[in-house]
Amino acid sequence: MNCTFIKPNGKRTTVPGRVGWSLLKTAQHHDVGLEGWEASPSWSEDYGDGPATAADHVVVAKEWFDKLAPMYPEEEKMLGYVEHVTETSRLAAVIKLSKELDGITVYIPPENMSFKGYNA
């Protein structure tokens, strides 16, 4: 399956991902430049640590947003620390890849702390 990342400088990078991987793990595996840490493996609606940072904030293309799993309160709380949140903002650490997401496109906003001063 493929994932496309649009960087703040407009450069599009399409990389292969694996079903079950997070979008963050996919970005880091291919050195896209997105920082952050995976959400706790035990994280669920009822318990767990949840996302550890908002450094992996991405804006999901509208045509893909409704295909994502619902946002948990922990993710909403973490997005509260992000500048310029949009209606399709999510954290890459909690987006789990599935066959339905083949071709997903996300934008990494310039305010994202991973890309401060990043030009590649």
Side-chain angles (χ1 to χ4, degrees):
M1 68 170 304
N2 290 311
C3 306
T4 299
F5 297 87
I6 303 172
K7 298 178 182 182
N9 62 7
K11 181 180 177 185
R12 297 173 73 93
T13 302
T14 300
V15 298
R18 291 186 179 178
V19 172
W21 276 14
S22 72
L23 191 61
L24 176 63
K25 182 174 184 173
T26 302
Q28 291 177 339
H29 182 77
H30 295 287
D31 199 26
V32 171
L34 195 58
E35 296 177 7
W37 299 275
E38 290 292 310
S40 169
S42 61
W43 182 49
S44 77
E45 182 175 8
D46 299 317
Y47 65 94
D49 296 328
T53 180
D56 57 325
H57 169 233
V58 294
V59 177
V60 180
K62 289 185 185 214
E63 63 268 23
W64 294 102
F65 187 76
D66 290 335
K67 296 179 182 185
L68 301 177
M71 189 182 308
Y72 293 118
E74 293 87 352
E75 183 180 6
E76 286 184 56
K77 180 180 177 185
M78 194 60 65
L79 282 170
Y81 299 110
V82 173
E83 293 180 47
H84 308 292
V85 173
T86 73
E87 61 186 36
T88 62
S89 287
R90 294 294 300 262
L91 298 178
V94 298
I95 297 174
K96 296 297 178 195
L97 299 182
S98 64
K99 290 181 181 181
E100 294 76 32
L101 295 179
D102 186 16
I104 189 171
T105 300
V106 300
Y107 173 66
I108 303 169
E111 300 85 14
N112 184 304
M113 60 186 86
S114 295
F115 278 87
K116 296 283 185 188
Y118 186 84
N119 293 314

